[in-house]
Amino acid sequence: MKWRFPWFFGHGTAGQRWLESELVVLDLELTGLNPARHEIVSAAWVIIKRGKIVLSESRYMLNADVQSLAQSPVYHGIDEEQLKRGASLEEVMNTLAGVLKGKVLVCHNTQLDWSFIQTHARKFGLEIRPDYMLDTLKIEKSRLLRQRQEVGQDQLRLPACRRRYGLPDYQNHNALSDSLATAELLLAQVNHLDAEKHIKLSALM
């Protein structure tokens, strides 16, 4: 199956300033890269309102329905005992559907995370529709290309992107720390593009 990845759904106004939107910065930890065969291990998100990260509204959820962790404990540090304290995948998807409704979804590699969200939401008859989607990887790639730089895949990984803005390294492969790291990267990118923060959503898509 070929996936289409619309970056907006037409509910809001892409011409509005990004500051006027509520952003949900999401990270998923996965057992692999194929949404048809692999699973969501954990999901976490932080909220950005009026250009500020609201940590009190952050959330971290483990998927108790994971069938095979494979190499996930090595990469994510999550084992079966931890998963037993998690929520069902249906609860995770229902929570995401509520959180993303009317919001802007932000990921680092949105295409990958969105494919998993769509695949697993459909198992429960859910339609998850944020107003828009932003991708910090895509924003950074566009910036580097405008500067006529050669862009290798390693240059677009989250830690590498953060270092170019002087942001510190975080623990990798943890959904909550990665969502916070992505939120901080987005704020740095927006500040680089427009220090006065008048930039519109459409300029980030």
Side-chain angles (χ1 to χ4, degrees):
M1 176 183 291
K2 291 185 177 180
W3 287 92
R4 297 180 62 199
F5 300 96
W7 298 106
F8 65 93
F9 293 95
H11 298 306
T13 304
Q16 70 187 28
R17 290 195 304 158
W18 81 283
L19 275 176
E20 297 166 356
S21 302
E22 185 171 327
L23 288 72
V24 179
V25 188
L26 173 74
D27 184 77
L28 303 178
E29 298 301 338
L30 311 165
T31 60
L33 301 179
N34 186 333
R37 295 191 295 110
H38 296 126
E39 301 176 85
I40 296 171
V41 178
S42 62
W45 56 90
V46 298
I47 307 298
I48 296 178
K49 294 181 180 179
R50 300 297 300 175
K52 295 182 179 180
I53 297 170
V54 184
L55 285 178
S56 61
E57 296 185 27
S58 62
R59 184 81 185 271
Y60 175 73
M61 300 186 75
L62 288 168
N63 172 20
D65 293 337
V66 172
Q67 298 298 305
S68 175
L69 279 170
Q71 293 298 307
S72 293
V74 176
Y75 296 109
H76 310 316
I78 298 170
D79 58 29
E80 292 182 359
E81 285 302 313
Q82 290 173 290
L83 287 181
K84 290 177 182 178
R85 301 192 293 271
S88 68
L89 181 59
E90 183 173 11
E91 183 180 345
V92 173
M93 291 294 104
N94 269 297
T95 303
L96 273 177
V99 168
L100 289 173
K101 185 176 181 180
K103 307 298 194 307
V104 178
L105 170 64
V106 183
C107 304
H108 192 75
N109 193 351
T110 303
Q111 180 168 303
L112 176 63
D113 287 345
W114 182 242
S115 67
F116 272 85
I117 290 170
Q118 289 291 82
T119 297
H120 293 285
R122 285 175 179 174
K123 294 178 180 178
F124 307 107
L126 292 172
E127 186 176 46
I128 300 180
R129 291 175 66 88
D131 277 0
Y132 302 99
M133 294 190 288
L134 301 180
D135 188 341
T136 51
L137 185 155
K138 180 174 176 282
I139 293 169
E140 191 64 11
K141 183 177 182 179
S142 297
R143 185 179 79 87
L144 294 176
L145 290 174
R146 286 195 301 271
Q147 296 174 351
R148 301 183 183 278
Q149 296 187 34
E150 291 187 11
V151 183
Q153 190 60 40
D154 286 347
Q155 293 174 280
L156 296 175
R157 298 186 187 282
L158 182 56
C161 292
R162 285 175 57 85
R163 289 185 199 113
R164 280 192 288 274
Y165 295 91
L167 296 170
D169 289 342
Y170 279 166
Q171 175 188 353
N172 292 329
H173 302 300
N174 175 279
L176 187 55
S177 63
D178 280 355
S179 61
L180 177 57
T182 301
E184 292 175 347
L185 174 60
L186 178 67
L187 296 183
Q189 290 172 324
V190 171
N191 187 69
H192 177 83
L193 291 168
D194 180 5
E196 295 185 5
K197 300 181 179 179
H198 292 155
I199 196 166
K200 295 179 179 179
L201 271 178
S202 57
L204 298 173
M205 293 168 63

